[in-house]
Amino acid sequence: MSKILGIDLGTTNSAMAVMEGGKPKILENAEGNRTTPSIVAISKSGERLIGLAAKRQAITNAENTVFAVKRLIGRRFEDEEVQRDLKTASYKIVKSGDGVKIKISDKEYTPQEISAMILSKLKADAEARLGEKITDAVITVPAYFNDSQRQATKDAGKIAGLDVKRIINEPTAAALAYGFEKKKGEQIAVYDLGGGTFDVSILDISEDTVEVKSTNGDTHLGGEDFDQRIINWIIEEFKKDQGIDLSNDTLAIQRIKEAAEKAKIELSTTMETEINQPFITTDANGPKHLVMKLTRSKLEELVDDLVEKTIEPCKAALKDAKLDVKDIEEVIMVGGMTRMPLVQKKVKEFFGKELHLSVNPDEVVAVGAAVQAGILGGEVKDVLLLDVIPLTLGIETLGGVATPLIKRNTTIPTSKSQIFSTAADGQTSVEIHVIQGERPMAADNKTLGRFILDGIPSAPRGVPQIEVKFDIDSNGILNVSAKDKATNKEQKITITASSGLSKEEIERMKKDAELHSEEDKKKKEQIEIKNQADSVVFQTEKLLKESGDKIKSEDKKELEEKLEDLKKIKDSGQTDEIKKKLDDLNAVAQRIGASMYQQASKSNDQTNASNGTDNKDDKKEENKEDKNPKEGEFEESEKK
Amino acid sequence: MEDKKKDNKKTKNKSSKNKEVEKLKQENNDLENKYKRALADYQNLVKQTAREKEEFIKYSNEEVIKEILIVYDNLKLSLASIKGIKLFKEDTNKDLRQWLDGVKLIKRQFKDILEKFGVEKVETKDKEFNPQEMEAIKSEPTSNAKLQDIVALEVKPGYKLNGKLIIPARVSVYKYIKEK
């Protein structure tokens, strides 16, 4: 079955998305952009231009370039909206029966036909992207659209060769994009501040419908007004500073326009930006440069009243819905302008709620249309639905460190194996402690199970190879096995999904991990340095034992002193101190190592003479360690 | 009688077994379909990833190059503006001339590097306005009908990267107006 295209047919910009593998995905147009200007033009040669190309030629061909046809679709000539556009539009609007037509050159087009041209481009571009034919679509319209406007939009789809499976409201689409259709009994506000229009809608989510309770807005307020404020400010400042009026300089204005938009976008993430346009103009005194700083607070001062203007419609919408601010459970932000911190602040203040911003506000409506398309097309049923694991699975290794085997968000079924080794000489058993969670220390995660693999042939630490394998089937049942590669001895455990965690637990654990990340890092560092110290102590003792009197006695004494220093402190948990002592010991050991090589040829014969006594002491130390093999705390052999 | 019963039982058994076999066959088919679908999904994903990677490599420089082009344009502007500076007009200062030659060499170096990366300037001079590559920011009235839709002035240069337009050329375009 072919895919159903979700289309946000906007006043200034349009976007489209499809369901892919059960997830909505925005489709880029032929030019590689995620949105397409809703502009249509017929060039003098009769060529049809749609989108960016139409926008670029608008100035030279104003009378044949149609902007914002959405304001006309399905309307009667007498409508206030049409009368208003009649005065401002650069193209000719004529009366045709009750309705309107747009006159381009000698031909008349209905708004449906113009909209169909935009839809045709979207359809063609989507087909090119997907490599398959598109015949069906879901198209969004503003909540305030009446039946005739909806029907006209549907007709536009038909003209474009699309079977419009459903017309849905833009705020409803936004709610669908967030999966809020499941929030039965909730009231949701959708705040949509786009390029040229502002809409606010109140939705009521009931058992099987999403109802628009009320809607309000300003059809002539948007991002372009904000840009204009910045442009005016730059021109004024420059005039104050240099005494030159740039407002009639085409090149300068073009550069200021671009700089203003860039500054606006940058100030959403930074507190200050520099507008830097060298050689902006030249006068009798030579070249002039435009360099000025714009702070976020200055920008907010410039546009404050514009943002304030959006609050009144919010109040009106609430009143119409017969609701109070406190009745609103969720607030969804739509439209590029909602990225501005001041907008977010004011809306948050008004509703007294955290805002939903995670879905790209330029794309959220198209995404929601695709979700609706997916529901209609049965996409969800059609694909093999595969689960992901919500939390990382791993085992505990040396020093209580959590070593992940399967990272969270991995799609199941899956399996992964890794080779581990022992942590002590002569260790004959290991404990496999299976854990779940994101924290770096095993103790902070949830224990899923543990088992012991014994009968490992006695060998020096790091030599045995134990393969630990995690295997999760599609039902989430986890099989963990540990196999000694030398003997092929194997132990395993099966952990069923039910012993996992509830949704709340998962959320809490994820939050915990974020909350504790700093202290966890320290703890892990502590363990790592201790492991390192243990390893160096072990090697140094081995060196002392094996080298005999190849080492000069004063060197040996120094080495033993440093070794003692380190041993005393290595379990204290004082990371910096241990590190210092570790470095000290390493320095001495290296010096001795170097001198040993030098001496090697000289004193080769004497080597074996006085080995005995030193060796005994070291053995004792070793044995002490061997008495308590650290079960389950084993080291990755990869590290070695 | 006994035999018949047995037979009956047998056929009953047989038919229920047949049903069982049918059911399993059906299940097997379903599973095979699902498996094939999953495999196909995976293979498509691999292909798509490869394609996206290719595109990514081809255009990953785009953002960086766009930013650098701003500086390059400004450098060109600075060199173009010397016509209006008195000091340069009086062709007397040799040192200044030589310094200027050096800066011009830097500009050329800049241009060569950009070209090496696949950047190409959008040609506008005497061309007919083309909305696929240019953006009209002004119309220039003319009484010469032949000049209609021809670029009058390039206000800001446009660029293509490996054939894809990344910045449209900003131009003013002649518009024929009948003389009264």
Side-chain angles (χ1 to χ4, degrees):
Chain A
M1 201 191 71
S2 75
K3 285 186 165 27
I4 303 177
L5 191 63
I7 300 174
D8 167 13
L9 185 60
T11 309
T12 42
N13 285 301
S14 296
M16 55 182 170
V18 288
M19 290 301 270
E20 220 172 66
K23 289 211 171 75
K25 188 186 164 192
I26 290 283
L27 292 179
E28 293 175 355
N29 63 16
E31 295 83 37
N33 300 318
R34 295 166 76 87
T35 57
T36 303
S38 306
I39 302 172
V40 172
I42 310 284
S43 75
K44 303 243 160 70
S45 56
E47 193 195 352
R48 221 180 248 183
L49 296 167
I50 297 143
L52 213 48
K55 191 176 181 179
R56 289 194 194 122
Q57 56 83 64
I59 288 207
T60 61
N61 190 25
E63 60 276 27
N64 299 320
T65 304
V66 184
F67 288 91
V69 71
K70 195 175 169 182
R71 292 195 173 128
L72 301 176
I73 199 162
R75 286 196 186 271
R76 292 178 312 130
F77 190 77
E78 272 70 38
D79 282 357
E80 196 187 315
E81 192 76 20
V82 175
Q83 290 301 316
R84 184 169 171 178
D85 271 11
L86 214 50
K87 289 186 202 110
T88 57
S90 55
Y91 48 90
K92 237 181 243 148
I93 302 167
V94 294
K95 194 171 174 192
S96 163
D98 262 355
V100 295
K101 277 196 173 174
I102 292 140
K103 198 170 170 191
I104 301 178
S105 318
D106 298 327
K107 260 187 102 179
E108 285 181 1
Y109 298 87
T110 60
Q112 289 90 314
E113 283 175 283
I114 302 288
S115 284
M117 292 180 200
I118 301 166
L119 292 171
S120 295
K121 176 184 164 55
L122 297 179
K123 176 178 184 268
D125 288 359
E127 284 172 349
R129 280 277 148 198
L130 295 170
E132 59 181 281
K133 266 235 154 305
I134 300 277
T135 52
D136 302 335
V138 169
I139 302 178
T140 62
V141 296
Y144 56 76
F145 258 30
N146 62 26
D147 280 347
S148 109
Q149 287 168 303
R150 283 164 205 264
Q151 188 54 48
T153 304
K154 222 171 172 174
D155 292 344
K158 213 179 278 167
I159 298 167
L162 289 168
D163 180 7
V164 181
K165 292 284 176 195
R166 183 127 351 145
I167 294 278
I168 62 168
N169 290 317
E170 285 158 12
T172 306
L176 283 173
Y178 279 98
F180 286 172
E181 76 278 9
K182 294 179 201 90
K183 302 217 164 200
K184 312 276 180 234
E186 283 202 355
Q187 264 73 234
I188 295 178
V190 180
Y191 179 101
D192 180 351
L193 186 57
T197 56
F198 168 65
D199 292 311
V200 57
S201 315
I202 308 295
L203 306 182
D204 179 52
I205 315 284
S206 69
E207 195 52 49
D208 43 24
T209 57
V210 178
E211 189 196 344
V212 180
K213 298 282 270 187
S214 68
T215 173
N216 209 301
D218 184 335
T219 48
H220 292 83
L221 172 67
E224 286 148 25
D225 302 302
F226 288 69
D227 288 352
Q228 198 54 51
R229 290 283 171 91
I230 305 173
I231 294 168
N232 294 346
W233 177 78
I234 294 173
I235 292 171
E236 264 169 47
E237 284 297 299
F238 192 77
K239 208 160 153 189
K240 255 192 259 165
D241 203 36
Q242 304 281 343
I244 301 171
D245 183 7
L246 293 173
S247 54
N248 292 316
D249 182 335
T250 319
L251 168 58
I253 286 293
Q254 181 60 33
R255 289 175 67 189
I256 290 170
K257 241 187 208 167
E258 285 165 35
E261 203 191 340
K262 198 168 163 226
K264 181 183 80 175
I265 292 167
E266 272 179 9
L267 286 175
S268 284
T269 47
T270 62
M271 297 308 288
E272 186 179 275
T273 184
E274 190 179 56
I275 295 160
N276 178 351
Q277 297 288 343
F279 298 96
I280 192 85
T281 189
T282 308
D283 74 353
N285 300 319
K288 291 275 176 286
H289 311 305
L290 173 76
V291 184
M292 50 180 76
K293 286 213 160 69
L294 179 58
T295 61
R296 188 187 281 181
S297 58
K298 182 71 206 173
L299 170 69
E300 293 180 348
E301 188 189 310
L302 292 174
V303 301
D304 190 71
D305 61 307
L306 293 176
V307 184
E308 202 54 57
K309 252 170 99 174
T310 66
I311 298 301
E312 211 42 58
C314 290
K315 283 183 194 160
L318 277 175
K319 201 174 153 224
D320 289 347
K322 297 188 179 60
L323 289 172
D324 201 65
V325 168
K326 63 176 185 299
D327 297 325
I328 300 295
E329 268 110 354
E330 319 279 348
V331 183
I332 299 176
M333 301 295 267
V334 180
M337 273 316 299
T338 60
R339 290 199 183 88
M340 186 181 244
L342 180 68
V343 174
Q344 294 171 9
K345 189 172 150 250
K346 293 234 161 156
V347 178
K348 203 167 132 185
E349 263 170 23
F350 176 74
F351 285 104
K353 285 255 150 30
E354 282 301 320
L355 311 171
H356 291 282
L357 292 150
S358 56
V359 181
N360 184 333
D362 292 317
E363 300 169 357
V364 60
V365 172
V367 164
V371 170
Q372 176 70 58
I375 295 169
L376 291 173
E379 167 89 3
V380 187
K381 273 178 273 161
D382 212 6
V383 291
L384 196 60
L385 261 188
L386 296 176
D387 232 337
V388 295
I389 57 163
L391 288 165
T392 300
L393 299 168
I395 61 168
E396 179 177 347
T397 55
L398 187 63
V401 170
T403 299
L405 264 284
I406 301 178
K407 290 252 165 75
R408 80 185 178 90
N409 264 336
T410 301
T411 305
I412 54 174
T414 189
S415 67
K416 173 116 191 260
S417 65
Q418 199 172 330
I419 307 279
F420 292 87
S421 192
T422 50
D425 287 341
Q427 182 180 334
T428 56
S429 74
V430 291
E431 188 188 50
I432 309 290
H433 179 195
V434 184
I435 49 177
Q436 181 184 41
E438 307 310 309
R439 304 275 296 269
M441 300 307 300
D444 298 322
N445 291 314
K446 179 171 171 142
T447 298
L448 290 181
R450 50 176 93 217
F451 64 93
I452 288 168
L453 175 69
D454 52 13
I456 301 166
S458 182
R461 62 189 264 172
V463 171
Q465 291 204 318
I466 294 144
E467 185 184 42
V468 175
K469 188 172 172 193
F470 274 49
D471 185 291
I472 314 183
D473 69 9
S474 55
N475 299 316
I477 295 167
L478 171 65
N479 275 296
V480 181
S481 64
K483 188 160 102 180
D484 176 20
K485 300 277 255 186
T487 60
N488 272 337
K489 208 171 166 209
E490 192 176 350
Q491 276 297 335
K492 60 175 111 188
I493 188 173
T494 298
I495 297 153
T496 55
S498 61
S499 68
L501 303 159
S502 69
K503 228 181 190 172
E504 288 73 29
E505 267 182 298
I506 289 165
E507 278 315 305
R508 186 184 54 74
M509 286 177 85
K510 276 190 207 155
K511 273 212 187 100
D512 261 11
E514 278 160 31
L515 225 64
H516 294 286
S517 68
E518 202 42 47
E519 115 196 23
D520 278 348
K521 222 168 82 192
K522 263 193 206 134
K523 234 200 257 174
K524 194 166 180 176
E525 244 168 46
Q526 238 174 50
I527 301 281
E528 270 165 4
I529 197 89
K530 183 184 173 293
N531 286 347
Q532 211 182 329
D534 278 341
S535 163
V536 168
V537 165
F538 172 78
Q539 276 160 18
T540 310
E541 283 173 343
K542 202 165 142 195
L543 175 78
L544 281 167
K545 188 171 72 183
E546 287 169 1
S547 59
D549 59 359
K550 261 190 260 174
I551 305 176
K552 275 187 268 169
S553 61
E554 65 261 37
D555 281 346
K556 191 181 251 177
K557 204 168 154 236
E558 196 182 352
L559 194 60
E560 277 166 349
E561 268 170 25
K562 299 281 180 209
L563 181 64
E564 275 314 309
D565 282 353
L566 181 62
K567 270 165 128 180
K568 254 182 243 156
I569 202 164
K570 76 177 169 62
D571 296 325
S572 68
Q574 297 163 286
T575 311
D576 290 344
E577 273 302 297
I578 300 173
K579 210 166 169 194
K580 200 170 150 266
K581 298 281 184 237
L582 192 62
D583 288 345
D584 285 353
L585 178 61
N586 272 333
V588 175
Q590 266 167 28
R591 206 186 64 223
I592 293 169
S595 71
M596 268 168 75
Y597 276 113
Q598 281 170 5
Q599 283 193 347
S601 54
K602 272 195 244 164
S603 51
N604 221 1
D605 294 339
Q606 298 168 357
T607 320
N608 301 325
S610 59
N611 241 347
T613 48
D614 281 330
N615 236 347
K616 253 182 210 160
D617 279 347
D618 285 335
K619 260 263 160 61
K620 249 184 221 157
E621 282 287 336
E622 283 259 329
N623 280 339
K624 239 187 254 162
E625 289 239 339
D626 282 0
K627 263 178 209 156
N628 339 302
K630 290 175 186 163
E631 284 173 356
E633 301 182 273
F634 48 124
E635 218 171 30
E636 277 178 72
S637 57
E638 286 169 358
K639 272 186 198 156
K640 292 218 134 192
Chain B
M1 219 14 203
E2 272 294 278
D3 270 8
K4 225 180 185 179
K5 241 188 190 172
K6 233 183 192 171
D7 257 17
N8 248 346
K9 215 177 183 182
K10 240 185 195 167
T11 45
K12 231 186 196 170
N13 259 343
K14 218 176 174 182
S15 78
S16 81
K17 244 185 199 151
N18 270 342
K19 256 186 201 159
E20 181 94 69
V21 168
E22 276 308 306
K23 202 180 137 212
L24 286 173
K25 262 188 190 162
Q26 182 65 38
E27 262 178 35
N28 193 35
N29 267 343
D30 283 354
L31 286 175
E32 197 181 325
N33 267 337
K34 272 187 186 161
Y35 168 69
K36 277 183 181 159
R37 195 176 280 271
L39 204 63
D41 269 355
Y42 174 71
Q43 281 171 4
N44 286 334
L45 182 73
V46 170
K47 277 182 235 161
Q48 193 186 334
T49 312
R51 201 168 52 227
E52 280 174 2
K53 212 171 180 183
E54 215 169 88
E55 266 183 32
F56 179 76
I57 291 166
K58 202 165 162 193
Y59 298 117
S60 59
N61 292 330
E62 187 176 319
E63 285 311 305
V64 182
I65 284 174
K66 264 182 170 168
E67 297 282 324
I68 290 175
L69 281 171
I70 297 173
V71 186
Y72 176 59
D73 280 348
N74 282 339
L75 180 64
K76 286 203 290 189
L77 267 179
S78 78
L79 286 170
S81 77
I82 54 175
K83 283 180 217 125
I85 302 170
K86 239 203 250 155
L87 200 58
F88 286 103
K89 270 188 201 157
E90 300 156 355
D91 199 8
T92 50
N93 194 331
K94 204 175 145 225
D95 285 352
L96 206 55
R97 277 281 144 203
Q98 276 172 348
W99 175 83
L100 185 63
D101 287 343
V103 177
K104 281 180 178 162
L105 284 173
I106 296 173
K107 188 196 118 186
R108 203 162 81 197
Q109 207 174 16
F110 218 146
K111 183 169 169 259
D112 289 346
I113 289 171
L114 287 169
E115 276 172 5
K116 207 174 91 187
F117 278 100
V119 176
E120 184 193 341
K121 192 178 170 295
V122 172
E123 285 306 322
T124 59
K125 199 167 187 286
D126 301 330
K127 294 258 174 189
E128 193 179 333
F129 172 72
N130 172 7
Q132 305 297 345
E133 300 184 332
M134 310 169 196
E135 183 176 328
I137 59 168
K138 206 181 161 190
S139 3
E140 201 65 55
T142 175
S143 53
N144 184 349
K146 272 189 206 153
L147 283 179
Q148 169 75 19
D149 280 337
I150 301 295
V151 172
L153 179 75
E154 178 182 286
V155 176
K156 263 191 103 189
Y159 298 94
K160 287 191 271 190
L161 174 62
N162 294 319
K164 180 193 167 196
L165 185 79
I166 53 170
I167 302 171
R170 269 64 172 219
V171 295
S172 67
V173 183
Y174 281 121
K175 189 172 189 135
Y176 170 61
I177 289 166
K178 255 188 226 159
E179 269 177 305
K180 280 170 195 165

